[in-house]
Amino acid sequence: MTSDPLASPQPLDGAQLAILNNRFEGVARKMANTLLRAGRSGVLNRARDFSACIVTADNLLLAAAESLPIHVLSGPDLMAASMRQFHPDLKRGDAFLHNSPYHGCSHPADHTILVPVMDDDGVHRFTVVAKAHQADIGNSIPTTYHGTASDVYEEGALIFPAVKVQQDYQTIDDIVRMCQMRIRVPEQWKGDFLAMLGAARIGEREILDLAAEIGWDQLDAFRERWFDYSEKSMIDAIAKLPSGCVSATSTHDPVPGTPAEGIVIKADVTVDAEGGRIVVDLLDNIDSLPCGLNLSEACARTSALIGVFNSIDHMVPKNAGAFRRVDVRLREGSVCGIPVHPASCSAATTNLADRVCAATQSALAQIADGVGMAEVGAGLSPASGVISGRDPRTGKKFINQLFLGATGGGATAHNDAWMTYLHAGNGGLCFIDSVELDELCQPILVESRRLLRDTEGPGRQRGAPSLEVAFGPVGCDVDVAFVSDGTINGPTGVRGGGTGGRSRQYLRKVDGTLVETDQVSVQRVKDGEVIISITCGGGGYGDPRDRDPAKVRHDVAEGWISPERAAEIYGMSA
């Protein structure tokens, strides 16, 4: 019988390293598939706003497969550390519910189940993490994003800092009852909760099976070798960049609780190509604000990492080994740093996180042509709003976040924008809702969903055009909650590239009158009215007059730009 080359501890070659990496990523994919198939809310089973990953026993991100960047690059490590701090005597069969932005979670809406993977001797080997955005978390208003909350008390979310919800594989019903009493759609929440538990238990089982197959020592050897390989890949990627110190800013629109000029995010980025290190310094930013836009530590670190990874060789693995080469500098009490309770971090995964990412990758674009990325369009327009009300077809209350569409992709030095990027933290990994399913599941009619001509960020490489979505209730009134950005400060281009389309949001009255709404609102939409959401496009990269004429002609033929714009902006007759 031929022996298994992975069956005994030994130095791992490249093929063995790849096999074990795929095995761990396969575990994360099985967890994610469970969330998609078993989730009760549309946020999970239609939009795929969830993530699954594996963290080592010493709190280092190992594998995350196709998870949302804002969920996993930093956060699982911090949450796993807080789990161990609060529960030093971990046992097989434990599970913990975590959503505290003060203890490592991204924001309160991202309920997370952490399960420690224990070997037969009771030694903690890994932590599996199943994170799922929730449609309702008990906020004081019917939305998971409370952008104008002055603090966590006004926000109103139930906060769980690594609270034990299972012991000996049995659910602690006290916690479930707390959530069911506070959350507007308890059956929906409990379905998502059970999906998270199931996903985490599948991850635990798969890792135990893998260890039984090849041994814990071999898994330990893989972990060290994989992190070293990933670090070397990051060093090689940084070595391709010119060294330098650059700065850039990105400005969030003013909303209640912010300065009149908006929130200016500054990133100072240093590239040391010879030393193989990048520093993203976010220290020089304002203090936390009395609104829900403050970043959690997880989102501040992650959004800077996203900006870095958007700007370098995409083949670098995204794990703790690569992270050794990026130093993200934060300060306590900053709007994009380490929050201090009771600052609200309700919208931490989106608005300012996107701005930190934009400032980081825009700064790197100054290093050299071929590096960095234009700004990605800001998000959380009404097309991505949280919709709630009472369904006249069933008489039951409903609440769910819509993902009816957003473009937002920024151009890179080598490619036109990813059209359905959505926003920087999402990374294009959420699904866009089916119009038909949204109309079946909520009492709404989607009138239109279309790209808008001449709204792309012009450049040698083109940013995404804006998207317009129009929808309204059928037979009832609904509330649509949103925290829109980019109406004033659209997604800017880099290295001569232009700005992409700005966001707009309107309410069309029954008589056809069009009224512009506030950017941050819980908008009551009455039966017969329609809300119109225009999402941001994305910035362009490089001088638009250097764009390949064949690409300009293609854009004109597709209706994305007009012949007049082709002549005026791109300098050619289509």
Side-chain angles (χ1 to χ4, degrees):
M1 180 181 293
T2 303
S3 62
D4 184 346
L6 296 177
S8 59
Q10 58 182 318
L12 298 169
D13 61 27
Q16 294 166 331
L17 203 62
I19 289 168
L20 280 175
N21 177 55
N22 283 329
R23 293 290 294 272
F24 274 106
E25 289 199 344
V27 173
R29 288 190 178 95
K30 288 181 180 180
M31 294 170 64
N33 189 57
T34 303
L35 290 167
L36 179 64
R37 300 289 183 179
R40 180 73 62 87
S41 71
V43 178
L44 271 63
N45 62 38
R46 296 197 294 278
R48 203 186 177 280
D49 192 352
F50 58 71
S51 296
C53 64
I54 301 163
V55 177
T56 64
D58 54 347
N59 315 317
L60 300 174
L61 179 66
L62 180 66
E66 292 128 15
S67 294
L68 276 59
I70 198 66
H71 278 174
V72 295
L73 295 189
S74 182
D77 54 339
L78 302 173
M79 288 190 289
S82 66
M83 176 191 73
R84 296 181 63 193
Q85 176 189 352
F86 298 145
H87 306 276
D89 187 20
L90 296 169
K91 290 183 172 59
R92 186 177 289 184
D94 288 346
F96 303 90
L97 174 61
H98 199 319
N99 75 330
S100 171
Y102 316 106
H103 302 91
C105 195
S106 40
H107 70 151
D110 286 334
H111 280 199
T112 306
I113 295 293
L114 298 100
V115 166
V117 180
M118 318 295 290
D119 67 18
D120 291 339
D121 296 323
V123 177
H124 180 204
R125 295 290 188 164
F126 295 94
T127 300
V128 292
V129 181
K131 176 180 284 193
H133 185 88
Q134 300 296 303
D136 182 32
I137 53 170
N139 272 352
S140 59
I141 58 176
T143 177
T144 57
Y145 301 100
H146 195 333
T148 58
S150 58
D151 56 26
V152 72
Y153 305 115
E154 183 179 356
E155 181 184 340
L158 285 165
I159 303 294
F160 298 99
V163 172
K164 185 182 285 188
V165 291
Q166 278 193 339
Q167 184 170 331
D168 295 328
Y169 294 101
Q170 299 300 309
T171 299
I172 299 171
D173 290 330
D174 291 348
I175 306 300
V176 174
R177 285 196 297 272
M178 285 176 61
C179 292
Q180 289 177 315
M181 289 300 295
R182 180 64 171 271
I183 289 172
R184 293 169 178 83
V185 282
E187 298 89 354
Q188 178 175 284
W189 170 81
K190 188 174 182 183
D192 286 354
F193 173 73
L194 292 174
M196 286 187 286
L197 282 172
R201 290 303 179 193
I202 284 173
E204 175 193 34
R205 183 193 68 197
E206 292 292 320
I207 292 177
L208 289 172
D209 288 348
L210 181 59
E213 178 185 340
I214 68 171
W216 291 112
D217 289 343
Q218 195 69 54
L219 294 187
D220 288 343
F222 162 74
R223 170 212 129 116
E224 294 305 319
R225 178 80 172 85
W226 182 238
F227 283 156
D228 289 345
Y229 167 81
S230 301
E231 182 178 18
K232 179 61 166 59
S233 296
M234 190 67 168
I235 292 171
D236 292 344
I238 295 172
K240 298 175 184 177
L241 308 178
S243 294
C245 299
V246 288
S247 298
T249 61
S250 184
T251 303
H252 190 287
D253 292 351
V255 300
T258 71
E261 68 274 14
I263 306 172
V264 180
I265 296 297
K266 181 184 180 186
D268 298 315
V269 182
T270 301
V271 176
D272 177 3
E274 185 176 350
R277 184 164 297 279
I278 294 176
V279 177
V280 181
D281 189 331
L282 300 174
L283 297 174
D284 188 16
N285 283 290
I286 63 174
D287 290 344
S288 297
L289 293 168
C291 66
L293 304 183
N294 302 293
L295 294 189
S296 61
E297 180 180 357
C299 287
R301 292 191 183 283
T302 293
S303 51
L305 287 169
I306 294 170
V308 170
F309 281 112
N310 281 349
S311 304
I312 62 171
D313 185 348
H314 70 281
M315 295 299 291
V316 176
K318 283 69 174 176
N319 62 40
F323 302 164
R324 294 170 183 169
R325 289 287 151 178
V326 183
D327 180 12
V328 181
R329 297 179 180 171
L330 307 175
R331 69 176 178 87
E332 189 175 86
S334 170
V335 74
C336 60
I338 302 171
V340 177
H341 187 276
S344 175
C345 304
S346 184
T349 56
T350 50
N351 298 51
L352 286 189
D354 293 344
R355 295 297 181 176
V356 169
C357 176
T360 302
Q361 62 198 34
S362 296
L364 284 164
Q366 298 175 38
I367 291 280
D369 197 344
V371 179
M373 182 175 173
E375 282 196 353
V376 172
L380 284 190
S381 67
S384 300
V386 176
I387 183 171
S388 62
R390 188 178 294 274
D391 194 329
R393 300 168 297 184
T394 63
K396 294 182 178 180
K397 292 181 180 179
F398 67 89
I399 181 169
N400 187 57
Q401 185 177 357
L402 301 176
F403 287 77
L404 277 169
T407 49
T412 72
H414 310 290
N415 299 98
D416 288 343
W418 186 339
M419 188 71 74
T420 56
Y421 201 73
L422 186 62
H423 72 96
N426 174 277
L429 288 170
C430 276
F431 293 163
I432 294 175
D433 285 355
S434 157
V435 167
E436 292 79 7
L437 285 178
D438 273 355
E439 292 175 341
L440 282 171
C441 295
Q442 289 101 193
I444 62 172
L445 176 69
V446 181
E447 284 193 357
S448 63
R449 181 165 62 185
R450 65 190 183 99
L451 296 173
L452 297 182
R453 179 182 289 191
D454 292 346
T455 57
E456 89 296 348
R460 185 177 73 235
Q461 304 294 344
R462 171 182 51 72
S466 291
L467 183 78
E468 180 191 86
V469 178
F471 67 94
V474 177
C476 63
D477 298 346
V478 300
D479 289 330
V480 183
F482 48 91
V483 188
S484 187
D485 183 22
T487 297
I488 298 170
N489 299 291
T492 60
V494 294
R495 305 198 69 84
T499 299
R502 294 174 173 84
S503 65
R504 292 287 190 276
Q505 33 279 325
Y506 301 96
L507 181 67
R508 193 181 73 210
K509 300 284 192 176
V510 176
D511 64 4
T513 304
L514 211 59
V515 180
E516 190 162 6
T517 73
D518 292 336
Q519 284 182 247
V520 180
S521 179
V522 180
Q523 178 66 54
R524 175 62 55 87
V525 185
K526 297 179 180 179
D527 189 17
E529 295 181 336
V530 170
I531 195 159
I532 299 173
S533 175
I534 298 175
T535 72
C536 283
Y541 194 111
D543 189 338
R545 292 182 177 264
D546 292 336
R547 183 165 175 78
D548 183 345
K551 291 184 176 180
V552 178
R553 286 191 290 270
H554 174 269
D555 290 348
V556 172
E558 290 293 318
W560 294 342
I561 65 172
S562 64
E564 294 77 17
R565 188 171 177 85
E568 178 184 357
I569 303 297
Y570 295 92
M572 64 167 289
S573 174

